[in-house]
Amino acid sequence: METDNTKKFNELFSELEHYDEDKQRKKIGETNEIIDGMNEEEFRSIFRKRMFYKIDKMIEEKKMSIENAILLLKHAGCCIKLKNVWNPCFDLSSLGERFKKMIVEEEEKEKGKKNEKLLADLCECYLLFHFDFSSNLISICVSCLLNVASKKEKNEETQKEVEMALLALSHINTYSEIEQEIYLNEIKEIIQYHQVHRSLTCLGYQSAWQFFISRFYTNGFLKDTVANELHFAREAERELEELTRCLDWYRKEDGKEENEAKEVLVIGRWIQTLLIYFQCRQLPNEERVDLFSRIVQIYRAAKDNYEEISRWCIYPLRSASERGIVKIDDLLKGGAADAVLEGIQRPTLNEGVTYECLHFFKNVSYRLKGKEKSENDEIERKATKRKVFEKTEEEGYEDTITSIHEISGFLYRKYFDPEISLNISDYFVNI
């Protein structure tokens, strides 16, 4: 169904081919303002394969310059990524093929003849819209955009360039293999320089970390660098604290839809990055509790008006409970168990959250049932077990689990996970 935003956008876009380059550029600025206010469904209805075909045809017929096409696509790609809209249409379009060919051709030019600005713009568009990455193009894009992101001038224009380059890099999928010599020293230097000079925007810094953490799946050796040299947990907690401190979560009134504040979007991205991190590696002991406390704070702050972000907070807490990567006592001190109990007892319970909450307490129960080898560890285990038992008993957790057990088979089928248990006792911590 056509909305005001899609109607206005389509009207403006249909007129673009009739303008000269300068006026067209001005009109693209107007379309970009409309894009800022679009929701997920509006993005999906506009940025379809036919849209990319139309842009490609306009470029081919010289009715739109490549620079103006990039102006439109970079802005749209940025908004699509910030709002987590999945859009595979560019991969399948003639425009996507045009951009890939141009990247290779520009990269192959001699140094003095290469248009570095055009190459960076093309790489950003490619990474922002593509999902099916080729190893050759990734190497070109990573090298090019890390050069852009390494700029150290603190003026607003340079910061925007750096932010866009890092945002594009952050969306290279986690399973794409990149040779470490292409990125390791450069991304470390970017992060370390910001830690001293505060040179990046909040989105730029988060994007730098997301790009780096996403490399864990193919380069697990990075864990020591991230934890001990760059202090990821400390930095994530500090960034989240700053973002939440200046935000009242922009409450919506009378059901009126408002644009999400950029800070809220960045918080959501940090939570997703933490999920990737907990799935792969453990944190230094001294940095755990504060980070869990911050996640719990965001969970509670967001649950009334930003339910999606609130739900996301449960996922890294569940990941942290797995495989002994953190102590159960640290989860208790950080309030993780309290948040999960609140999550599982909410009246508007989401199926995915139910699934994650069940896994959290299944993991906790499983780990607390096994005896420790050393006497001190065994004493600690029993003390923690008592705390969890008292906490769950106080909150009426057993009654909640018993009622949820009726849908556990449905959750098993929906999420295709053989680890979800249909045995009620697996979710109880008995003394």
Side-chain angles (χ1 to χ4, degrees):
M1 186 176 72
E2 193 173 47
T3 66
D4 287 343
N5 279 333
T6 57
K7 183 179 179 181
K8 289 177 184 176
F9 181 92
N10 285 327
E11 288 174 354
L12 277 171
F13 183 80
S14 66
E15 297 171 357
L16 289 178
E17 63 182 313
H18 304 299
Y19 299 129
D20 62 33
E21 186 168 354
D22 290 340
K23 190 169 183 181
Q24 188 180 82
R25 190 175 187 85
K26 182 179 178 181
K27 289 295 181 180
I28 288 174
E30 294 178 26
T31 65
N32 286 347
E33 289 178 6
I34 297 171
I35 288 171
D36 287 334
M38 286 185 182
N39 59 33
E40 183 173 341
E41 289 305 312
E42 289 169 333
F43 276 122
R44 291 186 191 281
S45 68
I46 289 293
F47 292 96
R48 303 173 70 86
K49 193 174 179 180
R50 65 174 177 266
M51 165 66 70
F52 298 122
Y53 169 78
K54 179 65 174 177
I55 294 173
D56 186 55
K57 185 178 178 182
M58 289 168 69
I59 294 171
E60 183 70 25
E61 296 176 352
K62 302 191 183 305
K63 293 179 179 179
M64 177 181 282
S65 67
I66 190 67
E67 289 78 14
N68 280 356
I70 286 169
L71 179 65
L72 173 62
L73 291 168
K74 278 177 62 172
H75 190 82
C78 176
C79 291
I80 284 171
K81 291 305 182 188
L82 285 177
K83 297 186 179 183
N84 286 317
V85 180
W86 187 72
N87 187 325
C89 299
F90 191 75
D91 284 334
L92 308 172
S93 70
S94 57
L95 183 63
E97 291 302 314
R98 177 185 293 274
F99 274 46
K100 286 192 283 187
K101 183 179 178 182
M102 290 181 69
I103 288 171
V104 173
E105 289 176 349
E106 201 63 41
E107 173 63 18
E108 289 176 348
K109 290 180 180 178
E110 297 177 12
K111 190 170 183 179
K113 297 180 180 179
K114 189 182 299 185
N115 186 333
E116 300 286 356
K117 175 68 167 62
L118 175 61
L119 179 59
D121 286 339
L122 291 168
C123 288
E124 286 168 359
C125 289
Y126 172 72
L127 294 183
L128 289 170
F129 278 101
H130 264 280
F131 289 84
D132 183 19
F133 300 109
S134 72
S135 57
N136 179 43
L137 281 175
I138 285 184
S139 297
I140 295 172
C141 291
V142 170
S143 296
C144 173
L145 295 184
L146 282 175
N147 284 336
V148 176
S150 297
K151 294 180 180 179
K152 294 182 169 58
E153 298 87 350
K154 293 189 71 171
N155 61 73
E156 185 177 352
E157 182 179 352
T158 300
Q159 282 194 321
K160 286 182 178 179
E161 289 180 15
V162 170
E163 179 183 85
M164 181 61 77
L166 289 169
L167 177 64
L169 286 168
S170 72
H171 287 277
I172 298 174
N173 63 50
T174 53
Y175 295 104
S176 295
E177 293 193 18
I178 310 171
E179 296 293 332
Q180 68 181 70
E181 58 265 23
I182 295 175
Y183 70 88
L184 183 56
N185 291 335
E186 288 79 1
I187 196 65
K188 279 177 58 179
E189 183 180 342
I190 289 168
I191 290 172
Q192 288 173 325
Y193 188 84
H194 172 78
Q195 289 175 348
V196 175
H197 301 281
R198 297 297 163 203
S199 55
L200 302 175
T201 64
C202 62
L203 175 59
Y205 191 45
Q206 185 281 325
S207 296
W209 272 116
Q210 186 165 323
F211 168 74
F212 201 11
I213 297 296
S214 294
R215 310 282 66 78
F216 274 12
Y217 283 97
T218 52
N219 293 312
F221 70 91
L222 296 172
K223 64 176 182 176
D224 291 334
T225 299
V226 166
N228 302 323
E229 291 185 48
L230 302 178
H231 302 284
F232 169 70
R234 182 194 68 194
E235 291 294 299
E237 192 280 327
R238 186 187 59 77
E239 288 291 306
L240 287 170
E241 194 276 332
E242 288 188 6
L243 287 164
T244 54
R245 186 177 55 198
C246 65
L247 202 64
D248 63 3
W249 297 95
Y250 295 94
R251 294 183 178 275
K252 305 180 181 80
E253 297 179 1
D254 302 324
K256 184 179 179 182
E257 195 74 24
E258 296 181 6
N259 291 338
E260 291 179 326
K262 192 171 184 179
E263 291 87 351
V264 175
L265 297 173
V266 177
I267 287 171
R269 287 169 58 84
W270 271 112
I271 296 299
Q272 292 177 54
T273 304
L274 287 169
L275 174 59
I276 296 172
Y277 188 79
F278 281 126
Q279 286 174 337
C280 299
R281 297 292 178 262
Q282 71 181 55
L283 295 170
N285 291 341
E286 68 275 10
E287 296 177 348
R288 292 174 186 159
V289 175
D290 288 344
L291 183 55
F292 293 142
S293 296
R294 191 65 60 199
I295 295 171
V296 170
Q297 178 195 11
I298 293 168
Y299 164 79
R300 290 176 175 145
K303 66 182 179 180
D304 290 331
N305 294 296
Y306 293 94
E307 190 173 355
E308 184 177 8
I309 291 177
S310 186
R311 290 200 306 266
W312 264 101
C313 290
I314 298 295
Y315 302 158
L317 296 180
R318 187 269 303 157
S319 275
S321 70
E322 291 180 348
R323 299 184 304 277
I325 62 175
V326 297
K327 292 183 178 180
I328 298 299
D329 198 47
D330 288 341
L331 290 169
L332 291 176
K333 290 176 182 177
D338 296 279
V340 175
L341 282 168
E342 291 172 24
I344 207 168
Q345 293 171 337
R346 288 177 66 171
T348 55
L349 190 58
N350 175 276
E351 294 162 359
V353 173
T354 305
Y355 178 82
E356 297 294 324
C357 290
L358 287 173
H359 264 297
F360 177 92
F361 279 109
K362 180 189 172 186
N363 294 335
V364 169
S365 297
Y366 176 79
R367 290 175 57 190
L368 290 178
K369 285 175 182 176
K371 291 186 177 181
E372 299 289 346
K373 292 181 180 180
S374 74
E375 185 177 347
N376 288 338
D377 287 343
E378 179 61 12
I379 292 172
E380 183 180 346
R381 181 189 71 86
K382 288 182 177 179
T384 302
K385 190 173 181 180
R386 169 66 65 179
K387 289 180 188 177
V388 174
F389 176 80
E390 292 174 351
K391 173 73 67 179
T392 54
E393 186 179 47
E394 179 184 334
E395 296 293 333
Y397 172 67
E398 293 198 12
D399 291 338
T400 303
I401 292 298
T402 302
S403 62
I404 287 179
H405 182 66
E406 295 298 322
I407 65 166
S408 58
F410 165 76
L411 292 173
Y412 171 84
R413 292 191 300 273
K414 180 168 183 176
Y415 292 93
F416 304 104
D417 189 337
E419 292 184 2
I420 190 167
S421 175
L422 303 183
N423 184 353
I424 296 177
S425 65
D426 283 346
Y427 304 104
F428 297 148
V429 179
N430 299 312
I431 302 297

